Amino acid sequence: MKFDDLDKKLRIYETYQDRQVLPGMYMVARIDGRNFTKLTKEKHDFQAPFDERFRDMMVETVKHLMCCGFNIIYGFTESDEISLLFHLRENTFGRKTRKLISIMAGEASAKFSSMLGDVAAFDCRISELPNALLVEDYFRWRNEDAHRNALNAHCYWNLRQNGHNKNEATKRIEGLSVSMKNELLHTYGVNFNDLPNWQKRGIGIYWENVKSTGVNPLSNETVEVIRRQLTTDMELPMGDAYNRYIAELIQRNEA
């Protein structure tokens, strides 16, 4: 059998289930660390509940993903997860989900592993959202999830650091309301409102045009140039203000 015939015969088994995200649909990739609790709490000496070195590695992973060949206009990270908003007209690989998922997971795993000096793995899924309002709500959902997780994490680790084992700490905070969890932290001298916003709301990364000066190599004259660079925002708003934040970012990139 000729190679062309063999290729045609077998290629279909790779591609027959290929699906593409429809034009006009917003795409958001969500990338999550696999077994990161064991990796960060047992194998490596990261501080609990939050570690600035781990935070910075996640931010650098987001920046890497936003520069690896796709038009991604916004990245968000909290804990060991990342959400990436593709430009509405992104069409790399024909918007095939298997390509998007495998590349995003692979690139994230490779980048984080190289910084950690150990094997770290991420998985990926794609949300297909039909309008900008749902995109706003998606990121608000992750933003509020960061807030909930931060409150639970601070409660859990304060209990652990004050003599409670895993089961006792978990059971102690089960069923507690937000106000009760805040009161629990107060007993340990922690005011949740005073904690850094990046812990409570996550971190945003977006592209920004920045003016700078350079020298024209032909005329030796000083000229003003505009460069596109990634900006990291560790003071994200919450609630309706965050919806507006995402809406403005989308409008700015679709103009």
Side-chain angles (χ1 to χ4, degrees):
M1 184 180 293
K2 294 181 180 179
F3 175 79
D4 287 348
D5 293 333
L6 189 63
D7 185 67
K8 183 178 180 181
K9 176 182 178 181
L10 294 177
R11 183 71 65 180
I12 191 171
Y13 293 100
E14 280 189 338
T15 61
Y16 84 101
Q17 283 189 325
D18 266 358
R19 63 178 304 278
Q20 299 163 283
V21 180
L22 291 172
M25 296 283 284
Y26 287 94
M27 300 185 296
V28 177
R30 175 144 159 232
I31 299 118
D32 281 300
R34 182 173 180 267
N35 293 331
F36 262 46
T37 299
K38 181 178 180 180
L39 185 71
T40 60
K41 301 299 186 293
E42 298 177 18
K43 293 188 67 178
H44 294 273
D45 188 26
F46 288 109
Q47 293 182 356
F50 291 92
D51 186 289
E52 291 187 4
R53 185 167 62 96
F54 179 84
R55 174 202 68 188
D56 293 344
M57 291 168 67
M58 290 299 296
V59 168
E60 288 304 312
T61 301
V62 175
K63 290 181 177 180
H64 173 76
L65 293 172
M66 294 180 73
C67 297
C68 71
F70 298 96
N71 188 356
I72 297 170
I73 65 174
Y74 183 61
F76 172 84
T77 181
E78 57 132 331
S79 185
D80 65 344
E81 76 167 57
I82 294 167
S83 292
L84 302 170
L85 174 61
F86 293 82
H87 193 284
L88 183 61
R89 293 186 292 278
E90 170 60 71
N91 196 43
T92 306
F93 297 113
R95 298 165 71 90
K96 291 180 180 177
T97 54
R98 70 177 174 93
K99 284 287 191 178
L100 298 172
I101 289 169
S102 60
I103 291 173
M104 289 289 103
E107 291 280 356
S109 301
K111 178 62 178 178
F112 195 92
S113 296
S114 69
M115 292 185 290
L116 182 64
D118 196 358
V119 176
F122 289 82
D123 63 33
C124 178
R125 71 207 76 173
I126 300 291
S127 291
E128 303 170 30
L129 305 169
N131 58 61
L133 291 177
L134 280 173
V135 175
E136 294 174 32
D137 285 343
Y138 173 92
F139 283 98
R140 178 169 178 168
W141 170 46
R142 304 321 304 150
N143 176 280
E144 294 187 0
D145 183 71
H147 192 270
R148 182 195 64 178
N149 288 342
L151 181 58
N152 288 338
H154 277 282
C155 287
Y156 175 83
W157 284 106
N158 271 279
L159 288 165
R160 289 295 310 279
Q161 291 159 7
N162 284 274
H164 295 76
N165 63 34
K166 292 180 181 179
N167 291 335
E168 290 170 343
T170 301
K171 188 174 181 179
R172 176 71 177 82
I173 62 176
E174 280 182 356
L176 293 184
S177 65
V178 170
S179 62
M180 294 169 71
K181 290 174 184 176
N182 275 283
E183 286 299 321
L184 173 63
L185 290 179
H186 274 295
T187 66
Y188 293 115
V190 178
N191 186 332
F192 187 70
N193 291 330
D194 293 339
L195 294 172
N197 283 337
W198 65 267
Q199 296 183 12
K200 299 180 292 184
R201 304 175 189 175
I203 300 166
I205 298 99
Y206 57 89
W207 291 101
E208 189 172 34
N209 292 328
V210 178
K211 292 181 180 179
S212 61
T213 57
V215 177
N216 185 319
L218 299 178
S219 64
N220 206 34
E221 294 178 338
T222 300
V223 295
E224 188 177 81
V225 295
I226 296 178
R227 301 184 187 280
R228 193 168 179 249
Q229 69 178 34
L230 287 171
T231 296
T232 302
D233 189 348
M234 295 194 185
E235 298 291 336
L236 294 177
M238 287 188 69
D240 291 342
Y242 191 50
N243 278 73
R244 292 191 294 271
Y245 180 100
I246 297 299
E248 290 169 5
L249 185 144
I250 293 172
Q251 292 166 9
R252 189 164 66 244
N253 281 273
E254 290 182 1

